[in-house]
Amino acid sequence: GHPVEVPMPAETGYGLDANRLIAEMGADTAAVVLTTPSNPTGQVFDPEAIRAVVEAAADCGAYVIADEVYAGLTYDRDPRGIAALTGHPEHVLTVGSCSKTYAMTGWRLGWLAGDRTVIDEVVKIHESTTACASSVAQNAAIAALTGPQEPFEEMYDAFEERRDYVVERIAGIDGLTAPRPDGAFYAFLDPEGVTDSLAFAKYLLGEHGVVLAPGSGFGDAGEGNLRLSFAASLDELEEGLDRIAAGVAARSP
Ligand SMILES: Cc1ncc(COP(=O)(O)O)c(C=O)c1O
C-alpha cells in the first residue's frame, strides 16, 4: 500500500474537511489516520466531521487510527475521543500516551485500544520488536493514570493560560497570523511572505535566538508555516514572542 496525504485547508484553520478526506477514500483504503488535537496545528476536529469520516471508513471496511495523544490537552472543545463520538467504535483504533498529559515523554509508555482481533495481531509484532515497555514505566503509568490528578490539572490550567497568551501576542504582531489552537501546545504560525520555512527558521534562530519548527517538516502542505511550541514558561514565551516579533518586523518590506 501507499500513504495518501490529504492536507486540510489553512483558510478554515486546518479543521477536518470530511468531504475532502472522504473523496480520497475507496475500496482499497486500509486505514485513515486522524490526529486530534493536532500536531502541528493545535486544531481539534469537529465531532460531526469525525462521525462522517468514521461512517465512510466503516463503509470501506477501513479502520480509523485515532492519534489522540494530546486528548488530555483539549481546551474549548469536546474532549471525548473518536471511539466515544462514533457509532462504530469497532472501526476505531485509538493511540494514547503518557508523554503529553503527564509529561512522561522519556518513559516511552503509550497504548493502542481497539478491536481485539486487531490488537492480537499488533501484539505479535510488538512482542517481537520491542518485547514490552519496562515494568518501571508501566508502574509509573498506572500511578499517573490512577493517582491524584491535581498535578495534571495545574499543568492543564498553565497550558490554557499560555495558549491564551500566545494567541493574544500573535494578534498583536503585524505580518503574523495563526488559527487559534483548541488543543495540544502548538500554534501554527503563518508569517506573511515566507515561502521557505526552513530558511526562515534558521534566520530566526541565527539572528534572533528563537527556535520554531519549520512547517515543511510536517509535509509539503506545511511549507511557509512555522510551529511554535508553548510547552515553555510564560516568561520564556514572552521573550520568545518578542524575538519572533523583531524577526518578522526586520524581514517585512
Ligand atoms: C500527534 C503525536 N502522536 C504521537 C506522538 C508520539 O508520542 P510518544 O512520546 O508517546 O511516542 C507525538 C509526539 O510528539 C505526537 O505529536
Side-chain angles (χ1 to χ4, degrees):
H2 65 281
V4 178
E5 285 184 23
V6 189
M8 293 298 133
E11 306 79 60
T12 49
Y14 310 104
L16 177 59
D17 180 338
N19 291 335
R20 191 183 272 225
L21 188 50
I22 291 167
E24 299 294 331
M25 291 162 62
D28 58 349
T29 302
V32 180
V33 180
L34 294 180
T35 303
T36 182
S38 159
N39 174 9
T41 69
Q43 295 310 297
V44 174
F45 294 155
D46 183 56
E48 283 312 308
I50 287 174
R51 283 190 197 104
V53 170
V54 176
E55 279 292 326
D59 289 347
C60 298
Y63 286 98
V64 170
I65 299 173
D67 182 341
E68 298 176 358
V69 302
Y70 295 99
L73 298 171
T74 302
Y75 309 115
D76 318 302
R77 308 287 299 268
D78 191 334
R80 280 180 301 165
I82 293 176
L85 285 172
T86 167
H88 296 282
E90 71 282 7
H91 280 275
V92 182
L93 297 167
T94 302
V95 179
S97 170
C98 282
S99 287
K100 317 296 176 184
T101 309
Y102 298 107
M104 287 173 61
T105 315
W107 294 78
R108 312 309 310 135
L109 199 296
W111 55 87
L112 180 71
D115 187 69
R116 181 83 251 170
T117 52
V118 179
I119 302 293
D120 285 346
E121 297 306 309
V122 171
V123 166
K124 285 181 195 164
I125 297 170
H126 185 249
E127 264 176 3
S128 52
T129 51
T130 61
C132 67
S134 74
S135 55
V136 178
Q138 291 188 44
N139 280 298
I142 290 169
L145 291 163
T146 62
Q149 295 299 301
E150 284 82 5
F152 161 66
E153 284 158 14
E154 266 173 44
M155 278 318 296
Y156 176 92
D157 291 344
F159 276 125
E160 193 172 30
E161 189 183 7
R162 292 169 189 179
R163 188 280 307 264
D164 292 344
Y165 176 73
V166 165
V167 166
E168 189 192 310
R169 285 293 311 271
I170 292 169
I173 299 174
D174 274 345
L176 196 65
T177 53
R180 179 187 172 83
D182 296 317
F185 35 66
Y186 306 112
F188 208 41
L189 308 180
D190 185 4
E192 208 180 328
V194 169
T195 50
D196 184 340
S197 56
L198 179 59
F200 197 70
K202 284 183 176 170
Y203 152 74
L204 285 175
L205 176 59
E207 309 274 322
H208 297 276
V210 60
V211 180
L212 297 174
S216 54
F218 301 96
D220 292 344
E223 184 52 289
N225 295 85
L226 291 113
R227 189 195 68 177
L228 177 154
S229 164
F230 49 88
S233 70
L234 276 177
D235 286 347
E236 286 166 327
L237 288 170
E238 184 179 7
E239 174 69 28
L241 280 151
D242 286 348
R243 293 177 184 209
I244 292 168
V248 170
R251 271 290 178 103
S252 294

